[in-house]
Amino acid sequence: MEARRYAPPRVRSGFLMKLLIAMALVEFVKGALLVAVLPVYASGKLGLSASALGFAFALQYVGDNACRAPVGRMLDRYGYRLPMALGLAVTVLAVALLAAANGPLALLAGCLLLGAGTSPLWPCAAAGATETAGREGSGSALSAVYVASFAGTGAGPVAVGWLAGGGAMAGAFPLLLGFAAAALLLALLLPPGAPRRAEEAPASGAGVRGLLSGIACAVRRLRGSRLLVPAMFLQTLALGLLTPVVTLYAREELGLTAGEFSTLLLAGGAATLGLLLVAGRLSDRLGPRPLLLVGVPAAAAATAYFAAVHTRPQLYAAVAAVAFGYALLIPSWNAFVARAIPDDLRGAAWGAALAIEGTGFVIGPIVSGWAWEHASRRAPFLLSGAALAALFVLYLFISFRKTDMVR
């Protein structure tokens, strides 16, 4: 095998740093709203049921996922500033609407707008990271994007909970409006066009027909797309299956206190974030294949092992194994997908890929809730492990094609 020349990625460029800071700010706002503010605010001030709140949260994911592919195509045509600025202006409006909500309709509309407004974030950040660092540095650059996202998502609920002191959450809205406005200002400082030459983006006509044509073209041109599309779905389905039940499982089945669970989350999250950057560099040096061959089965086995956990030592071992597996999986998988993205349709292809992945976060919680209630409380973890095992099988089939994207 020909030796790979390694060049450090340019993850500290001013353009990419603006995207990363905007990512952290917006994820801070979303994390605070969805985890800490809205559950308390909606049930306390608005008197809404858990079902109504769940439906509102689902609308947020629908708004985000439905807009990702169109935003990606818009990115190819107009560059980064316009989609980011429009989206974050809608985000500011959504936060203001949620702050003024006095009934379920306003809450539903605010959550839908929040999802639509934040939809440019991931297509722009993923396209910007791979465009700035290049294919050979995509692992490190995309790891930096994930670190910014996770840091914002984790800091939001913690900071708001600390500021509220366990009391009313309504006072958090001015802070969240300020953070959303700061992200909007950063978006206005982005380049007016794409960093690559505008003539590189192919024309596909204007209007809805041109938009759909561009998205369809981007999906068709994903290298290895016949197997890559279901693989992208399975990767996020595995996480989506865990999202609604992991807290309940820790509290009700394992008997963890709120403090113990928070400490475990912080420790596991910090370990994963630390390993992410290291794994991203390894992915750039060695290629994504070695890390995926280890990370995917490790994450599958560790996730399924949660179904057999009964003691504290077993729990700590399972959390450490999951942190290790996902730290290898996330950067190498994203570097792998980055190699499937055509350069001349980067925005549309990333938007389409992220929309495909987003469906896993929509479908996963539905399946997980049903399995939790009708099968067993360990079933979601077994299903998540099975999804990762299926992802590993698909990846092996893609690897046998011996295309440039898997080397």
Side-chain angles (χ1 to χ4, degrees), residues 306-382:
F306 264 98
V309 166
H310 295 290
T311 66
R312 292 288 194 279
Q314 290 175 339
L315 176 62
Y316 302 148
V319 170
V322 167
F324 172 77
Y326 271 99
L328 295 183
L329 167 61
I330 289 173
S332 53
W333 177 256
N334 283 287
F336 173 70
V337 172
R339 298 182 182 205
I341 299 294
D343 290 335
D344 57 345
L345 282 173
R346 184 177 282 113
W350 266 118
L354 290 165
I356 293 166
E357 291 186 346
T359 57
F361 287 119
V362 175
I363 295 175
I366 298 173
V367 176
S368 179
W370 183 90
W372 177 273
E373 293 180 356
H374 296 91
S376 76
R377 297 191 169 187
R378 291 173 169 77
F381 298 94
L382 297 174

Side-chain angles (χ1 to χ4, degrees), residues 215-305:
I215 295 170
C217 178
V219 173
R220 286 196 303 270
R221 290 184 53 197
L222 286 172
R223 300 179 181 93
S225 60
R226 288 184 180 179
L227 296 178
L228 186 60
V229 168
M232 288 189 292
F233 168 74
L234 286 170
Q235 189 257 334
T236 52
L237 176 68
L239 284 173
L241 285 163
L242 300 179
T243 303
V245 300
V246 65
T247 303
L248 292 174
Y249 189 76
R251 299 288 297 274
E252 297 181 8
E253 292 294 306
L254 303 180
L256 268 65
T257 66
E260 289 175 326
F261 182 63
S262 297
T263 301
L264 196 62
L265 281 181
L266 287 173
T272 303
L273 289 180
L275 290 170
L276 268 177
L277 295 175
V278 177
R281 283 297 181 99
L282 285 175
S283 178
D284 292 336
R285 288 180 180 272
L286 306 175
R289 176 185 282 172
L291 274 70
L292 285 172
L293 291 177
V294 175
V296 178
T303 303
Y305 177 62

